[in-house]
Amino acid sequence: MNISMVGTGYVGLVAGVCFADAGHYVECVDKDKSKVDLMREGKSPIYEPGLEEVMHQALKRRRLTFTTDLSESIRKNALIFIAVGTPEGANGDPDLSALMSVVDEICKHATAKKYVVLKSTVPIGTARNLQEYFNKKCSVAVEVINNPEFLKEGAAIEDFLRPDRVVIGCVSNEARAVMEELYEPFVKNGHPILFMDNMSAEMTKYAANSFLSVKISFINELARLADEIGADINQVRRGFTSDRRINPAFFYPGVGYGGSCFPKDVEALIKTGTKYGVPMKIVQAADDVNDEQKLVLYHKLKKHFGSLSGLTLAVWGLSFKPRTDDVREAPALFLIEKFITEGAKVKAFDPVAIETAKKASTVPFETGPDAMSVTRGADALVVVTEWNEFRNPDFDELKKNLKSPVVFDGRNVFDPLKMKKLGFQYYSIGRQALNDANFKTVENI
Ligand code: NAD
């Protein structure tokens, strides 16, 4: 099949490359010429494990091309995916201006029937509204299809090539047949393509991200209570997720969720609920808890040091999660800003996100060439993103480097008992330094 993929960010580029890998002919379109030039050379403008390898194969087989010429791509291809950004706008609603500019170009340049597939996450009702818009403004037939994306940055290629499910919202049997043919190579694992109406497809995407946000905020709130009471959240988690009805995946406490999707999708669902008179109270609570959770490490530092003024803090991890260079709504940037406004100096390291973080940060901060270098002379280490390479540092060196051995671990990457034995003052999220000595003989209870 011949496809236009408009917008080559974390979603569009991965989707385009994977469709090409499956044998389709994909033209990736982006308005950013520097990105297009880079991609033509086989280089990815974003960090995503495995992406460049698949991209090289598709380029070699001549299934993948890159262009800035949207109008020509619209004329040539019957199947047009829109994967541009839909960030949170000033009023909390998703900003659809990039999407609408592509829609208007389609109206202007389409000369034969088109299927327009919304890959971007859009407010519930967008496909219906756009269908009316095309019917009015476009001289040729256009059918709007909704195909929300569920990939996870950091595992995007694997998620796209072997999805848990593919969700398609569409109206006609023709559109259904087109999408079935397109996705057939990706569901050989037996996982389903779920066809539904457009509204339900749009709502499915918001429901998925909002539910995951609720899970995270639930465990984060429990972890805060565990910290106060002296229980251990890992034990609690193990205990209650052993119930087959409670899926343990994606259920770890930390420094709050961030990224380009959860915060804005949660906000969008809340807005939709308010608009239709059905307040999304549970999702609103998850959002409120997340705002508090982003400050948990800061409060722990304040409690330990009294004031942050004059301190030097080493920060490990800048991206909103490991295996990506994406720093949109990253808790690390939020914390760094807080530390610096409170008078601390920050030296940070991240394996791939230093450049994106420096560009996105509202405050200047120092960085170092590796994790250990930023700890030299620091008053404390603050772990914000759980990159694998942070999991087993040389603790002797770390102890020597820090002014005093204090570690604040926002992702529970180290073992509390081990840290205690090594002589660190160690703060994590909802865990205790438990060992067998906690189980006393009956006489000693
Ligand atoms: P992104 O910001 O990384 O990429 C958007 C791309 O679109 C950019 O390269 C930009 O230059 C390009 N663009 C903007 N306007 C354009 C135009 N008029 N013509 C051509 N190109 C244009 O965004 P993203 O993270 O890939 O997200 C895209 C959409 O997918 C969003 O709606 C997002 O909510 C959704 N989504 C994202 C993820 C994720 O993990 N990032 C996952 C699922 C869904």
Side-chain angles (χ1 to χ4, degrees):
M1 299 180 100
N2 295 308
I3 304 167
S4 258
M5 181 63 66
V6 187
T8 56
Y10 289 86
V11 165
L13 182 55
V14 169
V17 162
C18 291
F19 281 139
D21 183 65
H24 301 298
Y25 289 91
V26 182
E27 185 166 55
C28 285
V29 188
D30 207 287
K31 63 174 187 180
D32 185 335
K33 186 174 178 307
S34 60
K35 269 190 178 182
V36 170
D37 290 343
L38 209 60
M39 293 184 290
R40 279 183 173 149
E41 288 171 26
K43 293 183 190 141
S44 167
I46 54 164
Y47 176 82
E48 182 58 50
L51 174 58
E52 275 190 357
E53 287 81 346
V54 189
M55 193 168 158
H56 291 161
Q57 286 302 318
L59 282 168
K60 216 160 80 188
R61 290 164 59 212
R62 299 183 186 284
R63 302 284 160 138
L64 185 64
T65 51
F66 297 98
T67 183
T68 52
D69 191 346
L70 178 58
S71 54
E72 179 57 19
S73 194
I74 290 167
R75 273 191 289 272
K76 268 193 328 215
N77 299 302
L79 189 52
I80 303 168
F81 274 77
I82 307 182
V84 298
T86 48
E88 191 174 322
N91 62 355
D93 286 328
D95 174 358
L96 298 185
S97 55
L99 183 122
M100 284 313 294
S101 86
V102 179
V103 164
D104 284 332
E105 287 299 298
I106 296 172
C107 289
K108 233 191 275 171
H109 300 287
T111 50
K113 173 154 190 176
K114 304 289 170 195
Y115 293 100
V116 172
V117 187
L118 304 178
K119 197 55 143 161
S120 301
T121 305
V122 290
I124 305 160
T126 301
R128 182 197 55 196
N129 297 344
L130 286 182
Q131 188 63 64
E132 283 170 14
Y133 192 82
F134 279 120
N135 292 351
K136 251 191 239 154
K137 298 233 167 180
C138 204
S139 59
V140 296
V142 171
E143 179 167 350
V144 180
I145 298 169
N146 195 282
N147 173 213
E149 182 48 58
F150 298 96
L151 63 76
K152 302 183 287 297
E153 286 176 26
I157 294 290
E158 176 63 20
D159 285 348
F160 200 93
L161 293 177
R162 279 169 280 278
D164 289 341
R165 76 324 204 169
V166 175
V167 169
I168 312 275
C170 65
V171 175
S172 75
N173 282 328
E174 288 82 358
R176 185 183 168 126
V178 166
M179 296 307 279
E180 238 161 8
E181 185 184 337
L182 180 71
Y183 272 106
E184 190 267 335
F186 301 94
V187 289
K188 294 203 186 298
N189 54 8
H191 292 168
I193 303 181
L194 304 172
F195 286 98
M196 55 185 81
D197 61 282
N198 271 310
M199 292 267 204
S200 303
E202 287 160 346
M203 192 161 168
T204 298
K205 174 64 191 172
Y206 284 113
N209 275 359
S210 297
F211 185 75
L212 292 170
S213 307
V214 168
K215 262 186 116 168
I216 295 173
S217 280
F218 179 71
I219 195 93
N220 278 339
E221 201 171 43
L222 280 184
R224 293 220 300 264
L225 184 59
D227 257 339
E228 288 306 314
I229 291 178
D232 184 278
I233 194 65
N234 269 1
Q235 308 297 328
V236 176
R237 178 183 173 279
R238 230 160 39 108
F240 78 83
T241 61
S242 301
D243 183 324
R244 265 176 295 161
R245 294 169 300 177
I246 304 176
N247 188 329
F250 210 72
F251 223 169
Y252 296 92
V255 288
Y257 56 77
S260 69
C261 292
F262 284 14
K264 85 166 165 66
D265 292 352
V266 158
E267 196 58 42
L269 187 64
I270 292 169
K271 280 265 181 181
T272 307
T274 308
K275 186 171 158 192
Y276 287 91
V278 186
M280 294 287 107
K281 292 182 196 163
I282 293 172
V283 180
Q284 180 65 63
D287 194 34
D288 295 342
V289 169
N290 197 55
D291 285 344
E292 289 162 15
Q293 194 67 20
K294 288 197 282 186
L295 286 168
V296 157
L297 276 191
Y298 162 75
H299 289 310
K300 285 180 191 265
L301 266 103
K302 279 283 275 192
K303 198 165 167 193
H304 179 89
F305 288 110
S307 159
L308 303 194
S309 180
L311 297 180
T312 299
L313 300 173
V315 171
W316 282 2
L318 294 167
S319 54
F320 85 93
K321 65 170 173 175
R323 294 162 67 85
T324 181
D325 60 352
D326 196 345
V327 297
R328 289 177 283 185
E329 301 280 329
L333 294 191
F334 177 83
L335 280 170
I336 288 174
E337 197 177 310
K338 191 83 189 146
F339 295 158
I340 289 178
T341 29
E342 295 273 321
K345 202 169 123 191
V346 168
K347 287 187 186 171
F349 173 74
D350 187 284
V352 302
I354 287 179
E355 227 174 281
T356 46
K358 286 210 145 179
K359 253 190 235 158
S361 177
T362 53
V363 288
F365 59 90
E366 273 182 50
T367 54
D370 58 69
M372 218 31 107
S373 70
V374 299
T375 63
R376 275 178 218 126
D379 291 277
L381 167 64
V382 185
V383 182
V384 189
T385 315
E386 68 279 31
W387 283 91
N388 270 345
E389 70 171 83
F390 299 156
R391 288 183 188 275
N392 276 305
D394 180 335
F395 285 108
D396 291 336
E397 193 186 346
L398 179 61
K399 214 165 154 189
K400 265 187 232 141
N401 284 353
L402 294 171
K403 274 190 205 152
S404 61
V406 194
V407 173
F408 295 86
D409 179 356
R411 299 290 184 176
N412 290 351
V413 295
F414 305 133
D415 175 32
L417 194 59
K418 181 175 170 187
M419 294 302 277
K420 195 172 164 187
K421 281 185 186 154
L422 287 168
F424 284 93
Q425 275 186 289
Y426 177 67
Y427 300 91
S428 61
I429 311 288
R431 293 181 312 160
Q432 317 300 321
L434 294 175
N435 63 5
D436 284 346
N438 289 80
F439 295 96
K440 302 185 176 91
T441 55
V442 175
E443 303 84 69
N444 294 332
I445 287 174

